[in-house]
Amino acid sequence: AQSVTQLDSQVPVFEEAPVELRCNYSSSVSVYLFWYVQYPNQGLQLLLKYLSGSTLVKGINGFEAEFNKSQTSFHLRKPSVHISDTAEYFCAVSDMEYGNKLVFGAGTILRVKS
Amino acid sequence: DAGITQSPRYKITETGRQVTLMCHQTWSHSYMFWYRQDLGHGLRLIYYSAAADITDKGEVPDGYVVSRSKTENFPLTLESATRSQTSVYFCASTGTDTQYFGPGTRLTVL
């Protein structure tokens, strides 16, 4: 069985500061990894995904994530955040089967302060 | 418009009533999913479907029923709603390697 741990439930940060949202996963098989963002009262939007190849993945809105197989991590980073980045971020893992059935972490709320 | 839609967006019901949440996608994706979102739990999989007439349980299936007579529709039914089923429900479908989500249905069971 797979599981995902998002190590911080909330991350407060000032505008224009860098941020890292941490994600660790466990799985006995190869996986796909995803980060989704959810703005208040909205659905989930894909930020970025790791399927194979380069371990550094770039996504939308200036976000990037690095896949580290030895540490089973997939941390999300942004060098300079904006107020508009305030949202909840979900890390998810898929075992590449069953239509990419996802297992989600509990989410991290990013609060960007001015 | 192409995409995935859910209806209703908001629903209030009473304990013991039957409720059906609708999900429709226009991409002809084979796989469709239902998740529930609760504070502190992220999203948890209720049921999924690999194709019309093929469904399977996810992590939290108890109290829910699904059907899939057509590829584009995947309704979720709460046969006898309970307060613990108060949640936000998301439908999703999978393209080549990415899952796309609907806007969600906020269900309150009184």
Side-chain angles (χ1 to χ4, degrees):
Chain A
Q2 301 157 319
S3 66
V4 176
T5 302
Q6 291 186 239
L7 295 156
D8 305 293
S9 59
Q10 293 197 38
V11 173
V13 63
F14 284 103
E15 195 173 18
E16 298 184 8
V19 70
E20 178 180 80
L21 306 184
R22 297 179 293 168
C23 173
N24 285 92
Y25 70 93
S26 76
S27 176
S28 58
V29 299
S30 296
V31 296
Y32 293 159
L33 292 156
F34 303 82
W35 276 99
Y36 284 86
V37 60
Q38 184 180 33
Y39 299 103
N41 299 314
Q42 294 189 25
L44 276 74
Q45 179 182 3
L46 180 68
L47 264 183
L48 49 78
K49 59 188 176 186
Y50 172 78
L51 306 179
S52 65
S54 173
T55 57
L56 183 63
V57 179
K58 294 189 183 297
I60 62 172
N61 300 339
F63 284 93
E64 64 181 31
E66 186 154 20
F67 170 57
N68 188 318
K69 188 174 183 179
S70 63
Q71 296 187 6
T72 61
S73 68
F74 191 54
H75 300 333
L76 180 70
R77 302 185 183 101
K78 186 169 183 178
S80 175
V81 294
H82 303 285
I83 295 288
S84 59
D85 292 322
T86 295
E88 189 161 18
Y89 293 79
F90 292 96
C91 181
V93 63
S94 162
D95 60 5
M96 307 179 182
E97 296 182 357
Y98 306 110
N100 278 343
K101 186 173 51 163
L102 294 173
V103 174
F104 283 87
T108 297
I109 296 173
L110 175 63
R111 297 189 191 280
V112 181
K113 303 177 288 184
S114 59
Chain B
D1 289 345
I4 186 164
T5 57
Q6 294 183 236
S7 61
R9 294 293 313 280
Y10 302 90
K11 176 74 176 179
I12 299 174
T13 191
E14 295 177 337
T15 302
R17 290 191 179 267
Q18 183 180 79
V19 177
T20 296
L21 310 184
M22 304 301 293
C23 178
H24 175 79
Q25 52 107 352
T26 60
W27 293 302
S28 298
H29 289 163
S30 294
Y31 277 90
M32 295 187 73
F33 305 82
W34 275 105
Y35 295 89
R36 59 177 290 172
Q37 181 179 21
D38 304 289
L39 197 62
H41 291 280
L43 280 77
R44 292 179 291 176
L45 182 64
I46 305 171
Y47 269 95
Y48 65 101
S49 168
D53 298 322
I54 301 175
T55 63
D56 207 348
K57 295 178 180 179
E59 182 186 355
V60 289
D62 293 343
Y64 302 96
V65 174
V66 293
S67 61
R68 191 147 177 227
S69 57
K70 293 183 178 180
T71 300
E72 61 267 30
N73 297 325
F74 191 38
L76 175 74
T77 297
L78 289 66
E79 293 192 303
S80 179
T82 65
R83 289 196 182 93
S84 65
Q85 293 177 309
T86 291
S87 186
V88 181
Y89 292 85
F90 287 99
C91 179
S93 68
T94 298
T96 305
D97 51 40
T98 300
Q99 233 171 82
Y100 298 94
F101 286 80
T105 295
R106 184 175 294 273
L107 176 68
T108 302
V109 183
L110 301 176

